[in-house]
Amino acid sequence: MSWPNSSSDASNRLDTVTVTVTVTVTVTVTVTVTVTVTVTGSVAFVRELVMQDQPSGAGKVTADQLRRGAYLYVRQSSLKQVVNNTESTQRQYALRGRAIALGWDEGQITVIDTDQGQSGASAAGRDGFQHLVSEVSLGRAGIVLGLEVSRLARNSTDWHRLLEICALTGTLILDEDGLYDPRSFNDRLVLGLKGTMSEAELHLLKARLRGGQLSKARRGELKQALPIGYVHDLLDRIVKDPDMAVRGAVERVFALFAATGSARQVVIAFAADQLSFPARIRTGPHKGELVWGPLKHWRVLSLLHNPCYAGAFVYGRKRGGRTAEGKATFTDVPREQWTTLIEDHHEGYLSFERWEANGRLLLSNASSRGEGKAGPPREGPALLQGLVICGKCGRRMTVGYRQHRDELFPDYRCMTKAIQDGARVCERLPGKALDAAVARLVLDALNPLAIDAALKVTDQLTARAAEADRLRAGHVQRAQHRADLARRRYLAVDPDNRLVADTLEADWNHALREVTEAKDTYERARSEAAPLEQAVRNRLATLADDVHALWADPATPMRERKRIARLLITDVTLTRIDQRIVAQVRLTGGQHHCLTLPTPLGKAKSWQTHPDTVALVDELLEDHTHREIATILNDRGLKSGKGLPFTDLLVRDIRDNYQLTHRYQRLRERGLLSFAEYAHAIGVSETTVKIWRRVGLIEGIAYDSKNGYLFHPPGPDHPAPTVAQGIKFSDRLAAQQAALSEQSHRSAV
């Protein structure tokens, strides 16, 4: 076949081209058929038409590739597409015919469709794609079939990794448009462009959807999943749940938190009152149904942190992401980075200001952050827990406890710099005497208001008990309503339809059992709560006139004393001045009180050695070792700080703790020499010097109890090396005595 010569614009001209196609069929003889077709069109158009009529890519298939398997990858992005987009699935399965047409047998074709309902944005979580890549890597695949690039991967990284592996193993890739060999530059270029376009297509789809969401969110019209206590009306507006039991449970959570200041105490109160909390099923066949169960701590925190309960519309509180394993993660976003915040968007369960105050209180309760937050009142004996401020740096001080003889003693410590910077503790002050002084101040302030406080507490307890009783009664009414509904359904069914009647009868019996259980729980809770309520009333009436007795009553929990203190005290600033603790107490009403307390002598200081004894040890170190000093101190009847006798180790610890000069250093400062220095001065070995000291030829000054000695510099009468060496010790000793006698005699003459 020949094409007409043309200039650069020849392809744009209309020419009449005669195309001759030769078809050779071999049976027993060769038959040549010549067909002449006249096509009117441009040269490029005719060339493309003819190339389409030829078997595209058939020459790329080799015998080695035909010996390997053919892998057909089938995927839909969601289960909804799997159910509804059946035509796309059929087209993907139909690619088996393309593989058979290229020469693969039916038994060689492996269909991988385990990733149905999985997104192609990432290879994580797609077991089918991972299996496909592994088969290609092992050289078992001769061809990979997919309807289009987006079915295999919508991520350029995953797609190009598959292309590289296919190029290394000589695996072909076939899609709806044609057959490609990744080893060929042109084919790899086309496949790379297709992968890039697939990823860009996914980005555009997401951007279009995201833009619509953001537009509606900025107007406050985006429909989102609502927390328990809210529903959408017919106009998609956010309104409170019409179920009074649901609304009452949510309102009780916020009321209890306002009273206790602790999410855990809210959970404890619900459990003590035997109350349940509602939740709606989010997914599955029972989606939207209301269920009741015990209140959990995480659910209380979810309610308190959610601004929807304050009547605000919020979008962008959390940012989604994925881990390296493909697991979805969500992180909280700071408030200033929220996409949308519209206050007074709908009716709230509390004001926005109250919601912000709850957030600050929850943050202060998180004492585990190491920031020295106030925290909720707890059971420890520290009265001022969370109220103490360091007078040095202005940070809040935390509480630490010391145990002595089964009693806990609180200490107030400023630990922020020590935790964050690894520095020393800023300030540490004992708290037992301070707590007692502040308690007296609190009691003096409470005396005029004791009766009023008792009456308010009584009213609050009564209202809380009535609310709990109302919620429990609501559970009984709800169970009775379900039983009545089951009864009406059973009576409305045809009696001859026994299959349906038996099922409805079982539902009715189950509803009746729920009514019985709800009534039993209600009566049991009422009987348990009534005596307790009466006991509390009697106790408050008895102790209202004597607030000191109420405070000192052993049955009063320490947590309640702390709550009383927090009602009156704003904060307490502690400063150590010389040997005194100065406490600046700020009361809620604006009054200020200054308390001055002596610093208690800690156990460590009470166990310290008396200064006179330390001075005596310093003096004795001039002429004695540690063991000798211990003997002298014990002979004088002196004792350590703990009342124990002295030992050489205790003397050493005193020397180190009080930084006394070591005896060795004192002797060296006098000019005494070590073994090596003395031996070098007279020209002998250290061993010789040691022998001389041991036999008494020279005198050594001990500086410890482990044969450590120093020596005075050698004088004119030191032992002579030439005389002393090589002579028996008895002869050397006699010669030394004779020399001394002769010297004495000459001196006398």
Side-chain angles (χ1 to χ4, degrees):
M1 179 185 300
S2 60
W3 299 96
N5 294 328
S6 60
S7 60
S8 60
D9 59 345
S11 60
N12 297 324
R13 300 196 307 267
L14 292 178
D15 300 316
T16 300
V17 181
T18 301
V19 181
T20 303
V21 180
T22 302
V23 180
T24 303
V25 181
T26 303
V27 183
T28 56
V29 297
T30 302
V31 179
T32 303
V33 180
T34 303
V35 181
T36 303
V37 182
T38 303
V39 181
T40 303
S42 66
V43 175
F45 170 75
V46 175
R47 182 190 292 113
E48 180 179 358
L49 180 63
V50 174
M51 292 299 292
Q52 288 180 355
D53 289 340
Q54 294 180 352
S56 175
K60 299 177 182 179
V61 182
T62 64
D64 177 66
Q65 292 166 341
L66 290 174
R67 282 193 296 269
R68 291 181 275 171
Y71 288 82
L72 172 59
Y73 184 79
V74 179
R75 183 188 66 83
Q76 292 280 45
S77 298
S78 65
L79 294 177
K80 182 178 180 181
Q81 292 180 358
V82 175
V83 175
N84 298 328
N85 301 354
T86 56
E87 187 64 29
S88 175
T89 305
Q90 293 178 6
R91 290 175 60 201
Q92 295 185 61
Y93 282 112
L95 289 177
R96 296 165 57 94
R98 297 284 297 275
I100 295 174
L102 290 173
W104 274 270
D105 294 334
E106 181 74 23
Q108 291 181 282
I109 302 175
T110 301
V111 178
I112 301 176
D113 54 2
T114 57
D115 290 343
Q116 292 282 40
Q118 296 286 337
S119 173
S122 172
R126 287 201 291 155
D127 296 336
F129 183 77
Q130 301 288 353
H131 174 64
L132 173 65
V133 173
S134 64
E135 292 296 307
V136 174
S137 303
L138 295 173
R140 298 174 182 172
I143 187 171
V144 174
L145 301 96
L147 185 64
E148 56 189 27
V149 171
S150 63
R151 296 302 95 195
L152 288 166
R154 281 191 178 271
N155 183 282
S156 293
T157 302
D158 300 333
W159 175 243
H160 284 283
R161 184 179 296 113
L162 178 62
L163 292 183
E164 290 294 333
I165 297 175
C166 289
L168 291 174
T169 58
T171 304
L172 301 177
I173 296 178
L174 182 142
D175 63 8
E176 197 176 30
D177 297 329
L179 181 66
Y180 307 94
D181 186 353
R183 293 173 296 183
S184 170
F185 172 78
N186 290 332
D187 288 358
R188 191 165 62 250
L189 177 62
V190 173
L191 291 174
L193 290 175
K194 284 191 172 185
T196 303
M197 293 172 62
S198 177
E199 186 176 23
E201 179 186 11
L202 181 63
H203 170 74
L204 293 175
L205 290 175
K206 288 183 177 180
R208 190 178 300 121
L209 294 175
R210 180 66 174 168
Q213 286 182 340
L214 292 177
S215 178
K216 296 190 70 175
R218 292 189 180 98
R219 299 194 306 269
E221 299 176 0
L222 181 63
K223 190 174 181 179
Q224 306 179 87
L226 297 177
I228 192 66
Y230 283 106
V231 294
H232 286 104
D233 63 4
L234 297 178
L235 299 178
D236 286 340
R237 294 175 302 187
I238 301 176
V239 296
K240 288 186 176 181
D241 198 310
D243 191 333
M244 294 301 298
V246 175
R247 297 171 63 171
V250 174
E251 291 171 354
R252 186 170 179 80
V253 168
F254 290 110
L256 287 174
F257 183 78
T260 61
S262 169
R264 182 172 177 272
Q265 293 302 318
V266 175
V267 178
I268 293 175
F270 260 73
D273 294 335
Q274 301 182 18
L275 297 176
S276 301
F277 194 80
R280 292 197 182 275
I281 300 176
R282 296 294 185 185
T283 58
H286 300 285
K287 180 179 180 181
E289 292 186 8
L290 192 67
V291 294
W292 293 78
L295 180 62
K296 302 296 184 180
H297 184 264
W298 65 267
R299 192 175 294 278
V300 177
L301 293 179
S302 176
L303 264 69
L304 295 173
H305 283 297
N306 197 333
C308 183
Y309 291 102
F313 178 88
V314 175
Y315 185 78
R317 289 175 59 214
K318 294 183 180 294
R319 180 180 293 117
R322 290 191 176 273
T323 62
E325 296 79 13
K327 182 179 179 181
T329 60
F330 295 93
T331 56
D332 293 330
V333 177
R335 179 173 169 179
E336 57 273 11
Q337 299 180 14
W338 291 354
T339 304
T340 305
L341 172 59
I342 304 175
E343 299 181 19
D344 299 326
H345 179 266
H346 52 270
E347 184 182 2
Y349 283 87
L350 70 166
S351 65
F352 196 79
E353 293 75 16
R354 182 67 259 176
W355 175 80
E356 290 180 322
N358 288 346
R360 291 191 295 268
L361 182 56
L362 287 173
L363 183 61
S364 67
N365 289 350
S367 56
S368 60
R369 296 172 181 263
E371 297 290 341
K373 303 296 182 182
R378 303 186 187 276
E379 294 292 349
L383 177 65
L384 303 179
Q385 169 238 325
L387 299 177
V388 182
I389 296 176
C390 178
K392 286 186 177 180
C393 62
R395 293 183 173 89
R396 196 174 295 275
M397 303 178 76
T398 58
V399 180
Y401 293 102
R402 295 175 289 107
Q403 186 169 2
H404 178 65
R405 295 179 181 178
D406 299 330
E407 185 179 359
L408 290 178
F409 292 86
D411 286 339
Y412 296 107
R413 307 170 300 177
C414 183
M415 299 290 293
T416 303
K417 285 189 175 180
I419 294 174
Q420 300 295 339
D421 305 330
R424 295 176 62 87
V425 177
C426 179
E427 186 64 277
R428 187 197 306 267
L429 297 172
K432 185 175 182 180
L434 177 64
D435 287 350
V438 175
R440 290 191 295 269
L441 180 63
V442 170
L443 292 175
D444 293 340
L446 272 176
N447 273 333
L449 303 176
I451 297 178
D452 293 340
L455 293 177
K456 290 182 180 179
V457 170
T458 303
D459 295 340
Q460 188 177 22
L461 291 175
T462 303
R464 188 180 302 176
E467 179 66 17
D469 185 76
R470 187 181 65 81
L471 291 176
R472 285 192 293 266
H475 289 299
V476 177
Q477 295 175 4
R478 187 166 46 255
Q480 186 63 51
H481 172 71
R482 287 196 296 267
D484 294 340
L485 182 61
R487 175 179 175 274
R488 290 195 297 270
R489 288 175 178 173
Y490 174 72
L491 295 177
V493 72
D494 185 1
D496 295 334
N497 192 353
R498 297 308 306 169
L499 295 177
V500 178
D502 290 344
T503 302
L504 294 179
E505 184 180 8
D507 293 342
W508 185 16
N509 291 331
H510 178 70
L512 290 176
R513 285 193 295 269
E514 288 185 346
V515 172
T516 303
E517 293 176 359
K519 289 182 178 180
D520 292 343
T521 303
Y522 175 64
E523 296 298 335
R524 185 171 58 254
R526 290 194 64 181
S527 61
E528 293 176 357
L532 178 61
E533 179 185 352
Q534 189 61 38
V536 172
R537 285 174 173 272
N538 296 336
R539 183 178 172 190
L540 288 173
T542 303
L543 297 178
D545 294 333
D546 191 356
V547 68
H548 291 270
L550 174 63
W551 186 276
D553 187 358
T556 303
M558 192 63 197
R559 182 176 62 248
E560 304 303 328
R561 295 190 182 94
K562 294 181 183 181
R563 288 176 179 171
I564 295 174
R566 292 190 178 198
L567 291 175
L568 298 176
I569 299 175
T570 301
D571 54 54
V572 179
T573 303
L574 298 183
T575 308
R576 187 197 298 268
I577 301 178
D578 297 333
Q579 297 300 320
R580 296 175 297 114
I581 299 176
V582 179
Q584 301 286 342
V585 183
R586 225 164 30 113
L587 300 182
T588 306
Q591 299 179 356
H592 290 239
H593 296 270
C594 182
L595 304 177
T596 303
L597 306 171
T599 304
L601 191 62
K603 290 297 181 183
K605 290 188 176 181
S606 65
W607 290 344
Q608 289 180 352
T609 306
H610 196 276
D612 295 341
T613 304
V614 176
L616 180 58
V617 171
D618 189 22
E619 180 181 348
L620 293 176
L621 281 173
E622 293 289 340
D623 302 308
H624 300 280
T625 62
H626 296 161
R627 185 170 298 173
E628 294 171 348
I629 294 174
T631 302
I632 294 173
L633 296 176
N634 292 331
D635 292 342
R636 296 186 182 184
L638 300 177
K639 298 293 183 180
S640 66
K642 294 185 178 181
L644 301 176
F646 286 95
T647 62
D648 54 344
L649 294 178
L650 183 55
V651 174
R652 184 199 65 184
D653 292 340
I654 293 175
R655 182 205 69 197
D656 294 339
N657 293 335
Y658 291 92
Q659 299 181 356
L660 304 180
T661 305
H662 198 287
R663 174 167 169 74
Y664 176 84
Q665 184 177 352
R666 297 168 189 255
L667 295 177
R668 293 288 288 175
E669 291 175 354
R670 296 182 193 174
L672 272 67
L673 307 178
S674 64
F675 278 108
E677 293 171 343
Y678 190 91
H680 179 74
I682 61 176
V684 297
S685 66
E686 294 184 33
T687 304
T688 301
V689 175
K690 293 179 181 180
I691 295 174
W692 287 357
R693 186 208 62 78
R694 191 164 56 247
V695 302
L697 292 179
I698 58 176
E699 181 184 5
I701 308 300
Y703 61 83
D704 61 15
S705 303
K706 299 180 180 180
N707 294 325
Y709 293 92
L710 296 176
F711 304 92
H712 291 287
D717 56 346
H718 67 81
T722 56
V723 176
Q725 295 178 353
I727 304 175
K728 293 175 64 177
F729 175 69
S730 58
D731 296 340
R732 278 184 279 163
L733 198 57
Q736 184 181 14
Q737 292 176 353
L740 292 175
S741 300
E742 184 180 355
Q743 184 178 2
S744 302
H745 179 69
R746 285 199 301 269
S747 299
V749 174

